[in-house]
Amino acid sequence: MPSQDHLLLSDRRHVLGLGLAGVAAPAMRMPGARAFAGESIATQLDALLDATASAYGTVGYSVAVLRRGRLVHLRHAGLADRDTGAPITDRSVYPIFSVSKLFLVVELLKAARRGVLDPSMSLGRIRDGLPDAWRRITLAQALAHVSGLPDYIPDFVAPTEEGALAAIRDKPLRFATGTRNDYNQTNMLFARQALEQAAGAPLTVLAASQFRAAGLRHTGYHTGYPRGAVRLPGLVSSYRPVPGRDGPPAPFALPSMPAYTFGSTGVFTTMADMVRWSQALLRGDLLPLETLRASWAPFAMPSGAAAWHTHGWEYYRHGDVTIVGHGGDVRLVWRHFFRAADPDDCATAIYFDNGGRSTFDRHRLVTLLADLVMPGAARATELREEALFRGLASGRWDAAIAGLKATTPPQLVEEIVNRVGYDAMQILDAETALPPFEWNVREFSRSPNAHDSLGEAYRATGRIDAARASYARALALDPGNARIKAIVGDLAPPSAAK
């Protein structure tokens, strides 16, 4: 008899994909969103997933796509463990790292709705004895990651919460509260403490009730701290790229964190359970839909721009599409897409993997998956950006940039290449980002932004003379740019600065 997990989607595909086990594979054609009118959506989704796993050497993954809350695609592929050959299955258990924050967010919203928690409360009301600069920061600012608090993860994790806070209490704010958006785990430590005080119970107890309400069977908080790694039936092995990304990924042991970090991390789950949770959330089973959707309103910065987080959710908007959710450890993503004018017109994409030969932008992958079932979920250039990044990460830059130039309007090319360069800086390394930025300078030699970006990459790789020359050229092309002028001053040789 099939398991209950097996019955989630009667025609789901069991694709073991043993060839995906972290070994470089030939580049596969990048499927365009809705590119092949004669192909089914399922075929296009699988083609995108196959191309991604092949290009980045993904060891194993699970993915689910929902449209208007209904599961329309579920797939497991590759290996849970490369040494034993065990495949990814319905029962594969993943550590979801910061995706765990979603469960805390739901409990915070429930507590606020009951009137026992006020998001506008100051951190000074949550915890006594805080530094003066911390006390007036609000919980809402912490959840929007605009607090400026110093971060205790990864450098200041201590056996106790008190020890972790003591290690950072004398450090200055990273920026004036409210002036920047900078993701930070200390924010979530205060959020967890605020919830537990308001609800009178630990997060683990509150979340367990949430898990039961959603019908989850294989989900919970776990830690092996300080003794060692978590061991669970069905737990996938984890892998990470080797330096240079020129060989199979290396296995590594998951870090184990103290239980007080559960506001940020700590949940282990299966894809089937995440589908159940998503459907329960979107039906209004966990909290009223009006409360949920109100939490997806943007958090306004002083400039009027929206912060990148709101009420603990990651937040992004383009055109009429709003995107909320959360990522975890660069390899797990839960993202929900909806039309601002009609929140029921929505898609949800969930992606988990256990590592591979190269890191890549999983947020972009799930956005392209969502775009196949909800046209417009992705930005117009997002598919081209992914194809170019894929070529860069797999050592096929020349072919990828030639393909982009041949198929893309010239006015878009500079922007796409620049974005991929910054993606490489953030996801891979600054050295890998040089070819895109150098290409842009050759192709768009009169663009101050192209020279500015190349200067930043040179500076990040320690090529200070080259950075100085790039910034000088950018300033010559844009003499009124105060930011570039300040950088040129910072980079001036000591003799010139006198």
Side-chain angles (χ1 to χ4, degrees):
M1 176 179 177
S3 69
Q4 289 298 310
D5 292 347
H6 196 88
L7 296 174
L8 276 168
L9 188 66
S10 59
D11 66 345
R12 62 179 297 283
R13 288 162 173 75
H14 284 278
V15 184
L16 300 183
L18 302 184
L20 306 181
V23 179
M28 297 181 66
R29 180 167 61 113
M30 178 69 181
R34 303 175 305 284
F36 313 123
E39 293 185 351
S40 70
I41 296 297
T43 299
Q44 294 180 56
L45 288 165
D46 284 342
L48 176 57
L49 291 164
D50 286 341
T52 301
S54 175
Y56 300 120
T58 306
V59 178
Y61 68 85
S62 297
V63 65
V65 181
L66 292 77
R67 178 69 168 125
R68 297 181 182 271
R70 184 176 69 87
L71 182 63
V72 296
H73 201 73
L74 179 66
R75 194 184 195 201
H76 305 285
L79 300 176
D81 185 88
R82 196 176 55 198
D83 291 339
T84 66
I88 297 287
T89 71
D90 290 331
R91 293 187 175 274
S92 293
V93 173
Y94 293 85
I96 61 171
F97 302 99
S98 285
V99 179
S100 305
K101 293 179 174 70
L102 297 180
F103 307 115
L104 169 65
V105 167
V106 168
E107 292 303 320
L108 288 165
L109 293 173
K110 289 163 62 176
R113 185 174 183 276
R114 294 195 307 270
V116 298
L117 183 144
D118 180 4
S120 67
M121 70 191 301
S122 67
L123 301 190
R125 288 177 54 197
I126 298 170
R127 191 178 188 93
D128 294 331
L130 296 179
D132 290 343
W134 297 18
R135 290 175 186 165
R136 294 186 182 86
I137 297 170
T138 68
L139 177 59
Q141 289 173 321
L143 290 169
H145 294 283
V146 300
S147 69
L149 289 170
D151 206 342
Y152 79 97
I153 292 179
D155 297 328
F156 301 102
V157 175
T160 66
E161 180 175 313
E162 291 72 20
L165 289 174
I168 62 172
R169 63 171 290 115
D170 293 331
K171 296 185 177 299
L173 292 180
R174 295 194 292 177
F175 51 87
T177 300
T179 61
R180 280 175 49 192
N181 199 181
D182 200 354
Y183 181 64
N184 174 321
Q185 306 301 340
T186 307
N187 293 322
M188 306 311 294
L189 188 151
F190 281 105
R192 193 215 80 240
Q193 186 171 4
L195 171 68
E196 293 180 344
Q197 290 176 358
L203 170 61
T204 50
V205 172
L206 299 167
S209 177
Q210 183 185 147
F211 299 158
R212 288 192 297 272
L216 310 192
R217 299 180 175 92
H218 307 288
T219 301
Y221 287 87
H222 300 281
T223 179
Y225 186 88
R227 297 180 303 278
V230 171
R231 301 186 185 279
L232 296 169
L235 180 62
V236 301
S237 297
S238 291
Y239 301 87
R240 59 184 170 192
V242 298
R245 302 179 303 280
D246 56 358
F252 78 101
L254 295 174
S256 215
M257 306 287 275
Y260 69 81
T261 68
F262 283 171
S264 293
T265 187
V267 173
F268 291 70
T269 190
T270 64
M271 181 57 70
D273 268 7
M274 283 305 295
V275 170
R276 293 189 182 95
W277 180 84
S278 303
Q279 292 178 319
L281 181 74
L282 298 175
R283 283 194 304 263
D285 293 353
L286 303 182
L287 71 163
L289 287 180
E290 61 268 24
T291 301
L292 175 66
R293 290 170 177 172
S295 76
W296 294 340
F299 184 95
M301 301 288 284
S303 65
W308 301 332
H309 294 81
T310 183
H311 296 88
W313 305 95
E314 292 176 354
Y315 176 90
Y316 178 71
R317 182 171 178 176
H318 66 89
D320 68 337
V321 175
T322 298
I323 306 171
V324 295
H326 220 289
D329 192 47
V330 308
R331 57 192 177 94
L332 308 107
V333 182
W334 186 97
R335 260 193 163 185
H336 183 69
F337 307 75
F338 64 92
R339 314 274 185 201
D342 180 10
D344 290 325
D345 185 2
C346 62
T348 310
I350 315 164
Y351 177 87
F352 297 164
D353 75 35
N354 60 348
R357 188 185 65 255
S358 176
T359 308
F360 66 98
D361 189 347
R362 275 75 167 179
H363 286 78
R364 183 158 56 214
L365 171 61
V366 299
T367 299
L368 293 172
L369 293 169
D371 193 67
L372 284 165
V373 301
M374 178 184 164
R379 291 178 290 102
T381 60
E382 208 145 358
L383 188 67
R384 290 185 173 99
E385 292 161 12
E386 173 58 19
L388 188 61
F389 182 88
R390 179 172 296 169
L392 178 66
S394 59
R396 298 178 176 88
W397 167 255
D398 290 341
I401 190 62
L404 177 75
K405 188 176 179 181
T407 59
T408 305
Q411 63 270 25
L412 296 178
V413 171
E414 181 187 357
E415 174 191 344
I416 292 170
V417 174
N418 194 66
R419 185 184 288 269
V420 167
Y422 278 105
D423 285 347
M425 287 255 288
Q426 295 168 7
I427 299 171
L428 301 174
D429 53 69
E431 196 71 37
T432 306
L434 287 175
F437 291 138
E438 290 171 340
W439 187 92
N440 251 0
V441 163
R442 291 193 300 271
E443 196 75 13
F444 304 99
S445 61
R446 301 293 300 171
S447 166
N449 189 61
H451 291 278
D452 181 5
S453 297
L454 179 58
E456 186 172 345
Y458 279 145
R459 190 178 188 182
T461 60
R463 295 171 169 85
I464 302 304
D465 289 343
R468 191 180 295 124
S470 289
Y471 279 120
R473 180 59 177 159
L475 187 60
L477 292 166
D478 185 10
N481 192 311
R483 182 186 62 80
I484 298 177
K485 187 177 294 185
I487 294 173
V488 169
D490 289 342
L491 293 179
S495 58
K498 291 179 181 179

